[in-house]
Amino acid sequence: MTQLIFATGNAGKMREIRQIMADMPLDIKSMKEAGVTADIVEDGKTFEENALIKARAIHALTGGIVLADDSGLEVDYMDKMPGIYSSRFMGEDTSYDIKNKAIIDALEKAEGEERSARFVCAIAAVLPDGSERVVRATMEGRIGYEIAGQNGFGYDPIFFLPEYGKTSAEISPEEKNEISHRGKALRLMKEELKEALS
Ligand code: IMP
């Protein structure tokens, strides 16, 4: 079976990719399971560039199929910040409670449509022959007026989904996977892989 390495150290992301790719003839491994370690500088200017940087770096070490993702939150009122800097925004070690409150404060004067935001996920693949594929998907919403919900992580407690009347930290993980930027991007990548490997 062809090996696919997903360049992440995140157990939640591994669970999601295994679920979505379950019917593909692929032996899916995390970097740890594949015995790969790498210190990669993500200095791209876009989600796509950063995902490609990671996938290329690991592919150079392992060959086979390598997937990598990059994601973040774009807040329109903040000129699409924090964007690719989502985990580094206000400092890597600053709690999300503080980051989330700062975003709510920055939008103090924003009303309705002005509070639009989206989670973005780009996934890059480098295939055994060295060819590359990149997909992108989003989950659209608005920045809420207060922090709400215990599920999810990061910016989920301020990401309000108008069609649910809840934040993405208040819906179940299964509901989130159905509509999330990462779930959608993984399903798009699965179609790319089906085509590439047929
Ligand atoms: P990465 O792609 O795992 O590096 O994620 C980058 C950052 O974007 C995370 O550390 C979070 O701050 C933010 N982020 C990405 N996806 C989500 C999500 O689904 N919920 C909340 N925050 C997210």
Side-chain angles (χ1 to χ4, degrees), residues 62-138:
T62 63
I65 303 174
V66 177
L67 257 57
D69 76 330
D70 196 49
S71 59
L73 175 70
E74 288 182 350
V75 180
D76 291 329
Y77 196 77
M78 296 168 70
D79 292 327
K80 302 204 174 173
M81 278 292 284
I84 59 168
Y85 306 104
S86 289
S87 53
R88 289 165 273 176
F89 178 60
M90 296 178 74
E92 196 94 43
D93 296 330
T94 304
S95 76
Y96 276 93
D97 209 39
I98 292 174
K99 297 186 199 207
N100 284 335
K101 284 190 180 119
I103 293 178
I104 291 175
D105 287 349
L107 269 66
E108 197 190 6
K109 295 197 169 63
E111 297 278 352
E113 272 293 312
E114 289 178 324
R115 303 184 74 87
S116 60
R118 72 201 52 76
F119 280 118
V120 181
C121 177
I123 301 182
V126 182
L127 303 179
D129 65 359
S131 63
E132 298 173 345
R133 307 276 169 128
V134 187
V135 297
R136 158 189 280 240
T138 62

Side-chain angles (χ1 to χ4, degrees), residues 10 13 42 54 69-73 83 86-87 96 99 119-120 139 152-156 168 176 180-182:
N10 181 310
K13 288 187 186 177
E42 292 174 38
K54 282 185 265 188
D69 76 330
D70 196 49
S71 59
L73 175 70
S86 289
S87 53
Y96 276 93
K99 297 186 199 207
F119 280 118
V120 181
M139 173 166 70
F153 66 102
Y155 300 102
D156 280 322
S168 51
K176 188 179 163 198
S180 80
H181 47 313
R182 199 168 2 262

Side-chain angles (χ1 to χ4, degrees), residues 151-170:
N151 299 332
F153 66 102
Y155 300 102
D156 280 322
I158 57 165
F159 193 77
F160 186 77
L161 297 159
E163 59 273 38
Y164 287 79
K166 293 177 186 174
T167 69
S168 51
E170 293 178 294

